[in-house]
Amino acid sequence: MTSLAAGATLDFSLPQQLLVIALCALTAFVAHMALAVFNDGTRPFMLDFIQGRSTRTAATAVSFGLSAGFIFGLGAPMALSTGVLNPWLLFLPTDILGLLSPKKWLAPILGAAWGAVVVFALGGANNLAHDLPVDFLTAMQEMSTPILFLFTLFPVLAITKQFGRKWGGVAGVLELALVVLTMKVWPDMFAGALAMAAGVLMLIGLAVSQDLRQRKADLAAALTKKSDGTAEADGAGGTGGASGTGGAGEAEAAEDPMASLFSASAARLRRYLPLFMLLGAGVCVLAQMHIFGGGEATSFLIAKGHISEAAQVDFYRVFGFIPLIATTALASGAYGIAGFTLVYPIGYLMPNPVLAAVVGAAVFALEVLALSWIGKILGRLPSVRDSSEHLRNAISDSLQLAILFGSLMAANAMGGGLGILIVGGLYLLNEAMGRPVVRMAAAPAAVIVGGVLLNILYWLDLFTPIKG
């Protein structure tokens, strides 16, 4: 597999700089309007803000509390170590700035300012860090191997949690065999590509099969109940009981407050369809330029030049987030900044920015228009809906281990045993203090802090950098 360059940079062309600045301005404006936010944890709180039961200050505080750790502990370290931008670095800050802005016209200005910081200041910080005696950014590239390979196992974890150890074992053996086969037969391909494809397809197949069996069983039970009820009604000579019950059921459905809320939220989002199409076009073009990765593994794959594999990885992630994004959007009236994230893999594969803009706008339009229909479909497929939650949890579990292990490898590369002591100690201290920094972001943040400390020790003549 192609390795990252020793000095991953954040140097962008003028069109790329302008796009990042414009997109950050747009996402801040959309967040100010409470039409979309990137943080899935913030979205459920948006309904109270939209309906006036919560203040802008309170909404901003929630967004900052849920996002700060990811921005500084994951987004910035990943961008600095790979030279590829990511959504935590771009879109979580614009969530906060957009909600913070008291005026509509100020929100895009604040967003554009953050975009300028990213494309200008971050590159300077990157170059400065690479010139230090202890180059902790280059050391952080050690994270790529555990992230890429352990991430491959997320379908196995999801299958095991949802369908038991037997199916989990089958999936594990299948993925291992496919990884070994890929490394042997197609050495230029990312080894986990086929394995992840097989695992995700297996999970979806098991979930759909279970739902179909359950629907058949429910239908058979309903027919049996109906047959018994008809016989009892004929025997009693009664009429009208069934129709009366049906009328009450229809009235109850018509007055379902959740159905009414979902309908109102979907209608609110459709009113701003042109704005969402512009947002979809911008995100898709950003992905097409290959300066942006939608996830941890994707960032390293794009940095290594494995574009098709990056598209594949982000496509699989979509299955884990469609139900979450659809239901929270329908419940809150606020969509996701990246939608269902389909624009990520589509953008990676587009041949030029113009086509990416057109396709991205069309994808977002279809997503917004189909929200109500998707919500209804998910209501009929409980196992598929559960699979989504298991996928998200499995992605989180596999990445937490991969990032921790990779961070310790980076610590060893930059400082040997002392590096491991500092980075591992900071991670354990964060755990003991009740995780003021979220677990997934704690280890990369510890690498940066550890790198700074090792440089200070070098200047104090207390540490000699390890020669690579």
Side-chain angles (χ1 to χ4, degrees), residues 392-458:
R392 289 197 311 276
N393 292 336
I395 288 172
S396 179
D397 290 344
S398 59
L399 284 175
Q400 281 179 7
L401 176 62
I403 290 173
L404 175 59
F405 188 63
S407 296
L408 292 174
M409 290 175 63
N412 183 64
M414 69 184 184
L418 180 59
I420 292 175
L421 173 66
I422 293 173
V423 172
L426 288 172
Y427 179 87
L428 292 174
L429 181 62
N430 183 70
E431 289 286 308
M433 294 172 63
R435 299 190 198 123
V437 179
V438 290
R439 179 178 280 171
M440 191 174 292
V447 174
I448 291 183
V449 174
V452 172
L453 289 176
L454 288 174
N455 277 290
I456 293 174
L457 291 174
Y458 167 80

Short mmCIF file of all heavy atoms in Angstrom, two decimals, residues 392-458:
data_model
loop_
_atom_site.label_atom_id
_atom_site.label_comp_id
_atom_site.label_asym_id
_atom_site.label_seq_id
_atom_site.Cartn_x
_atom_site.Cartn_y
_atom_site.Cartn_z
N ARG A 392 -23.38 1.81 13.50
CA ARG A 392 -22.78 3.02 14.08
C ARG A 392 -21.96 2.67 15.32
O ARG A 392 -20.84 3.16 15.50
CB ARG A 392 -23.86 4.04 14.45
CG ARG A 392 -24.53 4.70 13.28
CD ARG A 392 -25.26 5.97 13.72
NE ARG A 392 -26.11 5.77 14.88
CZ ARG A 392 -27.35 5.31 14.84
NH1 ARG A 392 -27.87 4.97 13.68
NH2 ARG A 392 -28.06 5.19 15.94
N ASN A 393 -22.52 1.83 16.18
CA ASN A 393 -21.79 1.44 17.40
C ASN A 393 -20.53 0.66 17.05
O ASN A 393 -19.48 0.83 17.69
CB ASN A 393 -22.70 0.61 18.31
CG ASN A 393 -23.83 1.42 18.89
OD1 ASN A 393 -23.74 2.64 19.01
ND2 ASN A 393 -24.92 0.77 19.26
N ALA A 394 -20.63 -0.21 16.04
CA ALA A 394 -19.47 -1.01 15.64
C ALA A 394 -18.38 -0.13 15.04
O ALA A 394 -17.19 -0.34 15.29
CB ALA A 394 -19.89 -2.08 14.64
N ILE A 395 -18.78 0.86 14.24
CA ILE A 395 -17.81 1.80 13.67
C ILE A 395 -17.09 2.54 14.80
O ILE A 395 -15.87 2.69 14.80
CB ILE A 395 -18.51 2.79 12.72
CG1 ILE A 395 -18.91 2.08 11.42
CG2 ILE A 395 -17.62 3.98 12.41
CD1 ILE A 395 -19.79 2.92 10.51
N SER A 396 -17.87 2.98 15.78
CA SER A 396 -17.29 3.70 16.92
C SER A 396 -16.34 2.82 17.71
O SER A 396 -15.22 3.23 18.06
CB SER A 396 -18.41 4.23 17.82
OG SER A 396 -17.89 4.89 18.94
N ASP A 397 -16.74 1.57 17.99
CA ASP A 397 -15.91 0.66 18.78
C ASP A 397 -14.60 0.34 18.07
O ASP A 397 -13.52 0.34 18.68
CB ASP A 397 -16.66 -0.65 19.07
CG ASP A 397 -17.82 -0.46 20.05
OD1 ASP A 397 -17.84 0.59 20.72
OD2 ASP A 397 -18.69 -1.34 20.11
N SER A 398 -14.68 0.03 16.77
CA SER A 398 -13.48 -0.34 16.02
C SER A 398 -12.53 0.85 15.90
O SER A 398 -11.31 0.71 16.02
CB SER A 398 -13.85 -0.88 14.64
OG SER A 398 -14.57 0.08 13.88
N LEU A 399 -13.09 2.05 15.68
CA LEU A 399 -12.23 3.22 15.54
C LEU A 399 -11.61 3.65 16.86
O LEU A 399 -10.48 4.13 16.89
CB LEU A 399 -13.03 4.37 14.93
CG LEU A 399 -13.29 4.26 13.42
CD1 LEU A 399 -14.20 5.39 12.95
CD2 LEU A 399 -11.98 4.28 12.64
N GLN A 400 -12.35 3.48 17.96
CA GLN A 400 -11.78 3.83 19.26
C GLN A 400 -10.52 3.02 19.54
O GLN A 400 -9.48 3.55 19.97
CB GLN A 400 -12.81 3.62 20.36
CG GLN A 400 -13.83 4.73 20.48
CD GLN A 400 -14.86 4.47 21.57
OE1 GLN A 400 -14.74 3.50 22.33
NE2 GLN A 400 -15.87 5.31 21.65
N LEU A 401 -10.61 1.71 19.29
CA LEU A 401 -9.44 0.85 19.50
C LEU A 401 -8.33 1.20 18.52
O LEU A 401 -7.16 1.30 18.89
CB LEU A 401 -9.83 -0.62 19.35
CG LEU A 401 -8.68 -1.62 19.45
CD1 LEU A 401 -8.03 -1.54 20.83
CD2 LEU A 401 -9.17 -3.04 19.18
N ALA A 402 -8.70 1.41 17.24
CA ALA A 402 -7.70 1.70 16.22
C ALA A 402 -6.98 3.01 16.49
O ALA A 402 -5.75 3.11 16.35
CB ALA A 402 -8.38 1.74 14.84
N ILE A 403 -7.75 4.04 16.88
CA ILE A 403 -7.14 5.34 17.15
C ILE A 403 -6.24 5.28 18.37
O ILE A 403 -5.15 5.87 18.39
CB ILE A 403 -8.24 6.41 17.29
CG1 ILE A 403 -8.89 6.66 15.92
CG2 ILE A 403 -7.67 7.70 17.85
CD1 ILE A 403 -10.10 7.57 15.98
N LEU A 404 -6.67 4.57 19.41
CA LEU A 404 -5.84 4.43 20.60
C LEU A 404 -4.55 3.69 20.27
O LEU A 404 -3.44 4.13 20.63
CB LEU A 404 -6.60 3.70 21.70
CG LEU A 404 -5.81 3.36 22.97
CD1 LEU A 404 -5.25 4.63 23.62
CD2 LEU A 404 -6.66 2.57 23.95
N PHE A 405 -4.67 2.58 19.58
CA PHE A 405 -3.49 1.78 19.23
C PHE A 405 -2.58 2.58 18.32
O PHE A 405 -1.35 2.62 18.49
CB PHE A 405 -3.94 0.49 18.55
CG PHE A 405 -2.83 -0.49 18.31
CD1 PHE A 405 -2.13 -1.05 19.37
CD2 PHE A 405 -2.47 -0.86 17.02
CE1 PHE A 405 -1.11 -1.95 19.15
CE2 PHE A 405 -1.44 -1.76 16.80
CZ PHE A 405 -0.75 -2.31 17.86
N GLY A 406 -3.16 3.27 17.32
CA GLY A 406 -2.36 4.08 16.40
C GLY A 406 -1.68 5.23 17.10
O GLY A 406 -0.54 5.60 16.78
N SER A 407 -2.36 5.82 18.08
CA SER A 407 -1.76 6.93 18.83
C SER A 407 -0.56 6.45 19.65
O SER A 407 0.45 7.16 19.76
CB SER A 407 -2.81 7.56 19.74
OG SER A 407 -3.86 8.14 18.98
N LEU A 408 -0.65 5.26 20.21
CA LEU A 408 0.48 4.71 20.95
C LEU A 408 1.65 4.37 20.01
O LEU A 408 2.82 4.53 20.37
CB LEU A 408 0.06 3.47 21.74
CG LEU A 408 -0.90 3.74 22.91
CD1 LEU A 408 -1.37 2.44 23.53
CD2 LEU A 408 -0.23 4.64 23.95
N MET A 409 1.31 3.91 18.80
CA MET A 409 2.36 3.70 17.80
C MET A 409 3.04 5.02 17.44
O MET A 409 4.27 5.09 17.29
CB MET A 409 1.77 3.04 16.55
CG MET A 409 1.33 1.59 16.75
SD MET A 409 0.49 0.91 15.28
CE MET A 409 1.81 0.98 14.06
N ALA A 410 2.23 6.08 17.30
CA ALA A 410 2.80 7.40 17.01
C ALA A 410 3.67 7.87 18.16
O ALA A 410 4.74 8.45 17.96
CB ALA A 410 1.67 8.39 16.75
N ALA A 411 3.21 7.62 19.40
CA ALA A 411 3.99 8.01 20.58
C ALA A 411 5.33 7.29 20.59
O ALA A 411 6.37 7.88 20.91
CB ALA A 411 3.19 7.68 21.85
N ASN A 412 5.33 6.02 20.25
CA ASN A 412 6.57 5.24 20.21
C ASN A 412 7.51 5.77 19.12
O ASN A 412 8.73 5.85 19.32
CB ASN A 412 6.25 3.77 19.96
CG ASN A 412 7.49 2.90 19.98
OD1 ASN A 412 8.16 2.78 21.00
ND2 ASN A 412 7.81 2.31 18.83
N ALA A 413 6.92 6.15 17.97
CA ALA A 413 7.74 6.64 16.86
C ALA A 413 8.41 7.96 17.20
O ALA A 413 9.54 8.22 16.77
CB ALA A 413 6.87 6.80 15.61
N MET A 414 7.76 8.81 17.98
CA MET A 414 8.33 10.13 18.24
C MET A 414 9.12 10.18 19.55
O MET A 414 9.97 11.05 19.71
CB MET A 414 7.23 11.21 18.27
CG MET A 414 6.28 11.15 19.44
SD MET A 414 4.97 12.41 19.27
CE MET A 414 4.10 12.17 20.84
N GLY A 415 8.86 9.25 20.47
CA GLY A 415 9.55 9.36 21.75
C GLY A 415 9.85 8.05 22.44
O GLY A 415 10.24 8.06 23.62
N GLY A 416 9.68 6.91 21.76
CA GLY A 416 9.96 5.63 22.39
C GLY A 416 9.13 5.41 23.64
O GLY A 416 7.95 5.78 23.71
N GLY A 417 9.76 4.83 24.65
CA GLY A 417 9.04 4.55 25.89
C GLY A 417 8.53 5.80 26.57
O GLY A 417 7.43 5.81 27.14
N LEU A 418 9.32 6.88 26.53
CA LEU A 418 8.88 8.13 27.14
C LEU A 418 7.64 8.67 26.43
O LEU A 418 6.71 9.18 27.08
CB LEU A 418 10.01 9.16 27.10
CG LEU A 418 9.70 10.54 27.72
CD1 LEU A 418 9.32 10.38 29.19
CD2 LEU A 418 10.87 11.49 27.55
N GLY A 419 7.61 8.55 25.10
CA GLY A 419 6.44 9.00 24.34
C GLY A 419 5.21 8.21 24.72
O GLY A 419 4.12 8.78 24.91
N ILE A 420 5.37 6.89 24.86
CA ILE A 420 4.24 6.04 25.25
C ILE A 420 3.76 6.41 26.65
O ILE A 420 2.56 6.46 26.92
CB ILE A 420 4.63 4.55 25.16
CG1 ILE A 420 4.85 4.15 23.70
CG2 ILE A 420 3.57 3.67 25.82
CD1 ILE A 420 5.36 2.74 23.53
N LEU A 421 4.72 6.66 27.55
CA LEU A 421 4.37 7.05 28.91
C LEU A 421 3.53 8.33 28.92
O LEU A 421 2.50 8.40 29.60
CB LEU A 421 5.65 7.25 29.73
CG LEU A 421 5.45 7.83 31.15
CD1 LEU A 421 4.68 6.86 32.03
CD2 LEU A 421 6.79 8.18 31.77
N ILE A 422 3.97 9.33 28.17
CA ILE A 422 3.27 10.62 28.17
C ILE A 422 1.90 10.49 27.52
O ILE A 422 0.87 10.90 28.09
CB ILE A 422 4.11 11.69 27.45
CG1 ILE A 422 5.38 11.98 28.25
CG2 ILE A 422 3.30 12.97 27.26
CD1 ILE A 422 6.35 12.91 27.54
N VAL A 423 1.85 9.92 26.32
CA VAL A 423 0.59 9.83 25.58
C VAL A 423 -0.38 8.88 26.29
O VAL A 423 -1.56 9.22 26.49
CB VAL A 423 0.83 9.38 24.13
CG1 VAL A 423 -0.50 9.11 23.42
CG2 VAL A 423 1.63 10.44 23.38
N GLY A 424 0.11 7.71 26.65
CA GLY A 424 -0.76 6.77 27.37
C GLY A 424 -1.21 7.32 28.72
O GLY A 424 -2.37 7.15 29.12
N GLY A 425 -0.30 8.03 29.39
CA GLY A 425 -0.65 8.62 30.68
C GLY A 425 -1.72 9.69 30.54
O GLY A 425 -2.65 9.76 31.36
N LEU A 426 -1.61 10.53 29.52
CA LEU A 426 -2.63 11.57 29.28
C LEU A 426 -3.98 10.94 28.96
O LEU A 426 -5.03 11.42 29.42
CB LEU A 426 -2.19 12.49 28.15
CG LEU A 426 -1.04 13.45 28.46
CD1 LEU A 426 -0.57 14.15 27.19
CD2 LEU A 426 -1.47 14.48 29.50
N TYR A 427 -3.96 9.86 28.18
CA TYR A 427 -5.22 9.17 27.85
C TYR A 427 -5.86 8.59 29.11
O TYR A 427 -7.07 8.75 29.35
CB TYR A 427 -4.95 8.06 26.84
CG TYR A 427 -6.18 7.28 26.45
CD1 TYR A 427 -7.01 7.72 25.42
CD2 TYR A 427 -6.53 6.10 27.12
CE1 TYR A 427 -8.14 7.00 25.06
CE2 TYR A 427 -7.67 5.40 26.77
CZ TYR A 427 -8.47 5.85 25.74
OH TYR A 427 -9.61 5.14 25.40
N LEU A 428 -5.05 7.92 29.95
CA LEU A 428 -5.58 7.34 31.19
C LEU A 428 -6.06 8.42 32.16
O LEU A 428 -7.07 8.24 32.86
CB LEU A 428 -4.51 6.48 31.85
CG LEU A 428 -4.13 5.19 31.10
CD1 LEU A 428 -2.94 4.51 31.77
CD2 LEU A 428 -5.31 4.24 31.00
N LEU A 429 -5.35 9.53 32.21
CA LEU A 429 -5.77 10.64 33.06
C LEU A 429 -7.11 11.19 32.61
O LEU A 429 -7.98 11.50 33.43
CB LEU A 429 -4.71 11.75 33.03
CG LEU A 429 -4.98 12.98 33.91
CD1 LEU A 429 -5.05 12.58 35.38
CD2 LEU A 429 -3.90 14.04 33.68
N ASN A 430 -7.30 11.29 31.30
CA ASN A 430 -8.60 11.74 30.76
C ASN A 430 -9.71 10.79 31.17
O ASN A 430 -10.82 11.23 31.53
CB ASN A 430 -8.51 11.84 29.24
CG ASN A 430 -9.78 12.37 28.61
OD1 ASN A 430 -10.12 13.54 28.74
ND2 ASN A 430 -10.50 11.49 27.92
N GLU A 431 -9.43 9.49 31.15
CA GLU A 431 -10.43 8.50 31.58
C GLU A 431 -10.74 8.68 33.07
O GLU A 431 -11.91 8.66 33.47
CB GLU A 431 -9.90 7.09 31.33
CG GLU A 431 -9.82 6.69 29.87
CD GLU A 431 -11.19 6.41 29.29
OE1 GLU A 431 -11.94 5.61 29.86
OE2 GLU A 431 -11.51 7.01 28.24
N ALA A 432 -9.69 8.86 33.88
CA ALA A 432 -9.88 8.98 35.33
C ALA A 432 -10.64 10.25 35.70
O ALA A 432 -11.35 10.29 36.71
CB ALA A 432 -8.52 8.97 36.03
N MET A 433 -10.53 11.28 34.87
CA MET A 433 -11.20 12.55 35.14
C MET A 433 -12.62 12.59 34.59
O MET A 433 -13.25 13.65 34.61
CB MET A 433 -10.38 13.70 34.56
CG MET A 433 -9.02 13.89 35.23
SD MET A 433 -7.98 15.10 34.36
CE MET A 433 -8.96 16.57 34.53
N GLY A 434 -13.11 11.45 34.12
CA GLY A 434 -14.47 11.42 33.60
C GLY A 434 -14.60 11.85 32.16
O GLY A 434 -15.66 12.26 31.71
N ARG A 435 -13.51 11.75 31.38
CA ARG A 435 -13.47 12.06 29.96
C ARG A 435 -13.91 13.48 29.62
O ARG A 435 -14.91 13.67 28.92
CB ARG A 435 -14.34 11.07 29.17
CG ARG A 435 -13.89 9.64 29.30
CD ARG A 435 -14.60 8.73 28.31
NE ARG A 435 -14.46 7.36 28.75
CZ ARG A 435 -15.48 6.54 28.98
NH1 ARG A 435 -16.72 6.97 28.82
NH2 ARG A 435 -15.27 5.31 29.38
N PRO A 436 -13.19 14.48 30.09
CA PRO A 436 -13.47 15.84 29.62
C PRO A 436 -13.27 15.99 28.12
O PRO A 436 -13.91 16.82 27.47
CB PRO A 436 -12.48 16.71 30.41
CG PRO A 436 -11.43 15.77 30.91
CD PRO A 436 -12.12 14.46 31.11
N VAL A 437 -12.36 15.17 27.56
CA VAL A 437 -12.22 15.05 26.11
C VAL A 437 -12.82 13.71 25.70
O VAL A 437 -12.51 12.68 26.31
CB VAL A 437 -10.74 15.11 25.68
CG1 VAL A 437 -10.61 14.96 24.17
CG2 VAL A 437 -10.10 16.41 26.14
N VAL A 438 -13.70 13.71 24.71
CA VAL A 438 -14.37 12.48 24.30
C VAL A 438 -13.34 11.42 23.95
O VAL A 438 -12.25 11.73 23.44
CB VAL A 438 -15.31 12.72 23.10
CG1 VAL A 438 -16.51 13.54 23.50
CG2 VAL A 438 -14.57 13.39 21.95
N ARG A 439 -13.67 10.16 24.23
CA ARG A 439 -12.68 9.07 24.15
C ARG A 439 -12.04 8.97 22.77
O ARG A 439 -10.82 8.78 22.65
CB ARG A 439 -13.37 7.75 24.51
CG ARG A 439 -12.45 6.56 24.43
CD ARG A 439 -13.17 5.29 24.84
NE ARG A 439 -13.26 5.19 26.29
CZ ARG A 439 -14.00 4.25 26.91
NH1 ARG A 439 -14.74 3.43 26.21
NH2 ARG A 439 -14.01 4.20 28.22
N MET A 440 -12.82 9.12 21.71
CA MET A 440 -12.25 8.94 20.37
C MET A 440 -11.24 10.04 20.04
O MET A 440 -10.31 9.82 19.27
CB MET A 440 -13.37 8.93 19.32
CG MET A 440 -12.90 8.49 17.94
SD MET A 440 -14.25 8.31 16.77
CE MET A 440 -15.11 6.90 17.44
N ALA A 441 -11.43 11.22 20.62
CA ALA A 441 -10.52 12.33 20.32
C ALA A 441 -9.38 12.43 21.33
O ALA A 441 -8.41 13.16 21.09
CB ALA A 441 -11.31 13.63 20.30
N ALA A 442 -9.48 11.72 22.45
CA ALA A 442 -8.50 11.89 23.53
C ALA A 442 -7.11 11.44 23.11
O ALA A 442 -6.11 12.12 23.42
CB ALA A 442 -8.96 11.12 24.76
N ALA A 443 -6.99 10.32 22.42
CA ALA A 443 -5.67 9.80 22.08
C ALA A 443 -4.94 10.68 21.06
O ALA A 443 -3.76 11.00 21.27
CB ALA A 443 -5.78 8.36 21.58
N PRO A 444 -5.57 11.11 19.94
CA PRO A 444 -4.86 12.02 19.03
C PRO A 444 -4.48 13.34 19.71
O PRO A 444 -3.40 13.88 19.46
CB PRO A 444 -5.87 12.26 17.90
CG PRO A 444 -6.78 11.08 17.95
CD PRO A 444 -6.88 10.71 19.38
N ALA A 445 -5.38 13.86 20.56
CA ALA A 445 -5.04 15.08 21.29
C ALA A 445 -3.83 14.85 22.20
O ALA A 445 -2.96 15.72 22.33
CB ALA A 445 -6.24 15.55 22.11
N ALA A 446 -3.76 13.67 22.80
CA ALA A 446 -2.63 13.34 23.67
C ALA A 446 -1.33 13.27 22.88
O ALA A 446 -0.26 13.63 23.39
CB ALA A 446 -2.88 12.02 24.39
N VAL A 447 -1.39 12.82 21.62
CA VAL A 447 -0.19 12.76 20.79
C VAL A 447 0.35 14.17 20.54
O VAL A 447 1.55 14.43 20.63
CB VAL A 447 -0.48 12.05 19.45
CG1 VAL A 447 0.75 12.14 18.53
CG2 VAL A 447 -0.83 10.59 19.69
N ILE A 448 -0.55 15.10 20.24
CA ILE A 448 -0.11 16.48 19.99
C ILE A 448 0.47 17.10 21.25
O ILE A 448 1.54 17.72 21.23
CB ILE A 448 -1.29 17.31 19.44
CG1 ILE A 448 -1.63 16.84 18.03
CG2 ILE A 448 -0.94 18.80 19.44
CD1 ILE A 448 -2.72 17.64 17.36
N VAL A 449 -0.23 16.94 22.38
CA VAL A 449 0.28 17.47 23.64
C VAL A 449 1.62 16.81 23.99
O VAL A 449 2.58 17.47 24.41
CB VAL A 449 -0.73 17.26 24.78
CG1 VAL A 449 -0.14 17.68 26.12
CG2 VAL A 449 -2.01 18.05 24.50
N GLY A 450 1.68 15.48 23.79
CA GLY A 450 2.93 14.77 24.05
C GLY A 450 4.06 15.24 23.15
O GLY A 450 5.21 15.38 23.60
N GLY A 451 3.74 15.52 21.88
CA GLY A 451 4.76 16.03 20.97
C GLY A 451 5.30 17.38 21.40
O GLY A 451 6.52 17.64 21.33
N VAL A 452 4.40 18.26 21.85
CA VAL A 452 4.83 19.57 22.35
C VAL A 452 5.73 19.40 23.58
O VAL A 452 6.78 20.05 23.70
CB VAL A 452 3.61 20.45 22.68
CG1 VAL A 452 4.03 21.72 23.38
CG2 VAL A 452 2.82 20.78 21.40
N LEU A 453 5.33 18.52 24.50
CA LEU A 453 6.13 18.30 25.71
C LEU A 453 7.51 17.73 25.37
O LEU A 453 8.52 18.13 25.97
CB LEU A 453 5.39 17.34 26.65
CG LEU A 453 4.15 17.89 27.35
CD1 LEU A 453 3.47 16.80 28.16
CD2 LEU A 453 4.52 19.07 28.25
N LEU A 454 7.58 16.82 24.42
CA LEU A 454 8.87 16.25 24.04
C LEU A 454 9.78 17.31 23.42
O LEU A 454 11.00 17.29 23.62
CB LEU A 454 8.66 15.09 23.06
CG LEU A 454 8.08 13.81 23.67
CD1 LEU A 454 7.78 12.79 22.58
CD2 LEU A 454 9.03 13.21 24.70
N ASN A 455 9.19 18.24 22.65
CA ASN A 455 10.00 19.33 22.10
C ASN A 455 10.53 20.24 23.20
O ASN A 455 11.68 20.70 23.15
CB ASN A 455 9.17 20.13 21.09
CG ASN A 455 9.17 19.49 19.71
OD1 ASN A 455 10.17 19.48 19.01
ND2 ASN A 455 8.03 18.92 19.34
N ILE A 456 9.69 20.51 24.21
CA ILE A 456 10.14 21.32 25.34
C ILE A 456 11.27 20.62 26.08
O ILE A 456 12.29 21.25 26.45
CB ILE A 456 8.96 21.60 26.30
CG1 ILE A 456 7.93 22.51 25.60
CG2 ILE A 456 9.45 22.23 27.59
CD1 ILE A 456 6.66 22.72 26.40
N LEU A 457 11.14 19.29 26.27
CA LEU A 457 12.20 18.53 26.93
C LEU A 457 13.48 18.55 26.10
O LEU A 457 14.60 18.60 26.65
CB LEU A 457 11.74 17.09 27.17
CG LEU A 457 10.63 16.90 28.21
CD1 LEU A 457 10.18 15.45 28.25
CD2 LEU A 457 11.12 17.35 29.60
N TYR A 458 13.35 18.54 24.78
CA TYR A 458 14.53 18.62 23.92
C TYR A 458 15.23 19.96 24.10
O TYR A 458 16.47 20.03 24.23
CB TYR A 458 14.13 18.43 22.46
CG TYR A 458 15.21 18.82 21.48
CD1 TYR A 458 16.26 17.95 21.20
CD2 TYR A 458 15.19 20.07 20.85
CE1 TYR A 458 17.27 18.31 20.31
CE2 TYR A 458 16.18 20.43 19.96
CZ TYR A 458 17.22 19.55 19.69
OH TYR A 458 18.22 19.91 18.82
#
